[in-house]
Amino acid sequence: MTNAPGSGQRVLRAGPAPEDSDHAPLIFIHGAFAGAWTWAEHFLPYFGKQGFSCLAVNLPGRKGMPDYDQLHDFGIQDFVDAVSEVVDTLPRPPVLIGHSMGGFVAQRLAMDRDVAAAVLMSSVPPTGLAGPSVALALSRPMLIWEIARIESTGEPLDSLETLHQSIFNSHVPKVVSERLLPWFQMESRRAVMDQHTVFMPPMMGL
């Protein structure tokens, strides 16, 4: 088994340096149980070739990082702070692209930093996971039970069937899930709890 792309790196990069691009930099923020590798196969090379400066951030506690042993100490605010550090190094406001938990991080970060735009992909809503969890429990009770077990114990996402049902749609062959399964990991119990805490974002001015 090979390590995931970018294992051990805080930021994966593709395309020109931010100061050499005519476009706003793109910052990719991965979801729970995963790492920056989720963007490495398709998104980073594609947008890099289009002239975008691309940065995919490994949130704290990822496999191969020195802070992996402290995974469960990190909450959503720690993830926001980690991405903010990258944003603060850029010459212009970036576009944030967040998947699932990464979308939740992007929304929180956009309240504190000047960003050009935010792209939310199957994102945790700004109010957290309480509502969606109820809806999933009613429609797919066995899947929500398995996800809840993994979240509560902090165990790795190591079930091929759970991974395939929760991440991919029916058009993706299971061989894809099987290939990626070893790259998934435990997620911070503290961060999972943060996402289930009801949060009311501030009202934005018209």
Side-chain angles (χ1 to χ4, degrees):
M1 181 188 69
T2 59
N3 291 330
S7 178
Q9 301 177 46
R10 183 59 69 193
V11 180
L12 281 65
R13 300 174 184 270
E19 58 273 16
D20 296 331
S21 174
D22 295 330
H23 310 289
L26 307 182
I27 294 186
F28 295 87
I29 312 169
H30 64 79
F33 304 101
W37 58 265
T38 56
W39 309 104
E41 186 172 354
H42 300 292
F43 287 82
L44 295 185
Y46 175 81
F47 285 102
K49 289 178 181 177
Q50 310 308 312
F52 289 90
S53 180
C54 303
L55 305 91
V57 182
N58 265 315
L59 298 175
R62 298 306 107 182
K63 275 184 179 180
M65 301 300 295
D67 56 11
Y68 180 61
D69 290 341
Q70 287 77 51
L71 170 67
H72 297 297
D73 295 334
F74 298 118
I76 291 297
Q77 189 57 51
D78 297 302
F79 295 165
V80 172
D81 292 343
V83 182
S84 295
E85 290 180 4
V86 178
V87 171
D88 291 344
T89 67
L90 300 175
R92 59 195 291 190
V95 174
L96 305 178
I97 304 171
H99 171 247
S100 191
M101 181 180 75
F104 193 59
V105 171
Q107 293 171 74
R108 293 291 189 93
L109 193 153
M111 293 191 297
D112 297 325
R113 292 291 193 279
D114 185 17
V115 299
V119 179
L120 308 178
M121 304 172 63
S122 299
S123 177
V124 173
T127 51
L129 281 173
S133 294
V134 171
L136 185 59
L138 293 174
S139 62
R140 305 177 75 179
M142 295 306 296
L143 178 59
I144 193 64
W145 183 89
E146 177 65 11
I147 293 174
R149 181 190 66 79
I150 293 170
E151 289 178 342
S152 63
T153 61
E155 294 176 2
L157 186 59
D158 58 3
S159 164
L160 179 59
E161 190 61 32
T162 301
L163 171 66
H164 196 75
Q165 289 188 46
S166 58
I167 301 294
F168 299 107
N169 65 33
S170 58
H171 299 291
V172 177
K174 283 190 177 180
V175 67
V176 174
S177 298
E178 189 173 15
R179 176 172 63 88
L180 298 177
L181 183 61
W183 294 351
F184 283 85
Q185 65 166 80
M186 294 183 292
E187 190 48 74
S188 163
R189 288 190 293 269
R190 182 179 167 193
V192 170
M193 185 178 299
D194 287 348
Q195 293 175 87
H196 283 86
T197 302
V198 176
F199 171 76
M200 296 305 296
M203 297 296 292
M204 303 299 290
L206 297 178

